[in-house]
Amino acid sequence: MSKPILYSYFKSSCSWRVRIALNIKGVDFEYKAVNLIHDGGMQRKDEYTSVNPMQQVPAFVVEGTTLTQSIPIMEYLEEKYPSPEILPKESLQRAKVREICEVIASGIQPMQSSSQVLQRVEKLSSAEEKAEWAKFWINKGFIALETLLEKSSGKYCVGDTVTMADICLVPQVGNAKRFKVDMSQFPVISKINDELEKLEAFEKASPFKQPDCPKDLRA
Ligand SMILES: N[C@@H](CCC(=O)N[C@@H](CS)C(=O)NCC(=O)O)C(=O)O
């Protein structure tokens, strides 16, 4: 059977989530780069719109089916490859993990992602204004997340096992750093992020290790 295909962009935090999950599950995949910037964005060209009509990455093609949306892709991987698990068995812990994922995937990322909001908010004309907008929403979300994590975290977001919540956290912290959010306000998030960055599955998924990362940005 042919390898699954991941349509990804090295800087995309949603693709980054799926890269981490695939690494944790040990799934070998073919990486297909979709440059979101070049020539008005390859995601808007017909050949990619036919893969994902939302014109976004990631898209994951497996067994002849195309899945989009990073969270359902992770849920699929969890069901297909149950070990190591990225969702706890216990219901409340499992709900906690999903809550943290939602805060990031619905409450923060869509507000700071380039096409969905920034390019449409016409008042934000300069790059600086767009960056301020993104920073505002990340800050607001991280204030809530820090409070949630104070209660739920151990070594990682929920207890001491790596879960989907951690997979969502690291790319969002990556975006926060890109937009120069002052991370010293968020000691719990920062501590968990530091722990996670040491893990091979996370290290390998870093934007700076991807085949489409320009040479001058590589770690
Ligand atoms: N809910 C989607 C969001 C996907 C998304 O926002 N992808 C961004 C990159 S992180 C994108 O492709 N943006 C396209 C653009 O900027 O035009 C998911 O979790 O997969």
Side-chain angles (χ1 to χ4, degrees):
M1 216 192 313
S2 55
K3 282 188 205 175
I5 299 169
L6 178 67
Y7 289 88
S8 167
Y9 180 53
F10 75 105
K11 269 202 263 183
S12 146
S13 63
C14 304
S15 308
W16 188 351
R17 292 174 196 152
V18 177
R19 296 196 300 258
I20 299 169
L22 287 164
N23 293 342
I24 290 177
K25 299 292 188 182
V27 177
D28 193 17
F29 61 97
E30 184 185 339
Y31 187 103
K32 282 204 179 164
V34 180
N35 191 315
L36 299 184
I37 311 292
H38 180 70
D39 192 21
M42 302 314 282
Q43 74 277 26
R44 292 186 241 281
K45 309 284 181 220
D46 289 349
E47 62 263 34
Y48 187 70
T49 302
S50 61
V51 176
N52 183 357
M54 279 294 278
Q55 305 182 325
Q56 292 175 331
V57 285
F60 186 62
V61 183
V62 63
E63 295 176 29
T65 297
T66 303
L67 299 173
T68 67
Q69 304 297 324
S70 59
I71 304 287
I73 297 171
M74 287 196 275
E75 299 259 3
Y76 162 79
L77 292 172
E78 176 70 349
E79 286 169 24
K80 181 86 181 169
Y81 309 99
S83 179
E85 67 185 28
I86 54 174
L87 269 177
K89 293 254 174 332
E90 199 276 319
S91 303
L92 271 177
Q93 296 281 94
R94 204 172 168 89
K96 250 308 143 198
V97 168
R98 289 187 166 131
E99 175 190 357
I100 294 164
C101 291
E102 274 299 296
V103 168
I104 295 171
S106 305
I108 305 177
Q109 186 272 337
M111 297 304 291
Q112 54 99 129
S113 172
S114 57
S115 77
Q116 292 165 64
V117 176
L118 298 190
Q119 288 173 7
R120 291 280 156 200
V121 183
E122 281 159 16
K123 278 195 201 146
L124 305 177
S125 49
S126 69
E128 288 74 24
E129 283 172 316
K130 285 180 182 161
E132 272 313 308
W133 170 281
K135 201 169 159 181
F136 171 83
W137 289 105
I138 298 172
N139 247 313
K140 186 173 181 301
F142 273 16
I143 290 169
L145 199 55
E146 182 80 5
T147 311
L148 291 174
L149 293 176
E150 274 166 12
K151 297 198 189 90
S152 67
S153 64
K155 190 169 177 188
Y156 304 123
C157 286
V158 179
D160 294 323
T161 307
V162 173
T163 66
M164 276 173 47
D166 300 295
I167 298 175
C168 289
L169 185 79
V170 167
Q172 191 57 59
V173 171
N175 280 352
K177 288 182 179 167
R178 183 148 64 91
F179 287 110
K180 303 201 169 31
V181 170
D182 172 13
M183 287 304 295
S184 68
Q185 305 169 89
F186 308 115
V188 180
I189 295 177
S190 299
K191 187 164 157 280
I192 298 169
N193 186 67
D194 289 350
E195 283 300 330
L196 290 163
E197 279 185 344
K198 293 179 199 159
L199 305 176
E200 196 192 343
F202 285 74
E203 215 186 300
K204 231 173 102 184
S206 153
F208 307 108
K209 299 256 167 85
Q210 304 313 307
D212 55 333
C213 177
K215 279 209 176 68
D216 55 320
L217 294 182
R218 287 198 187 193

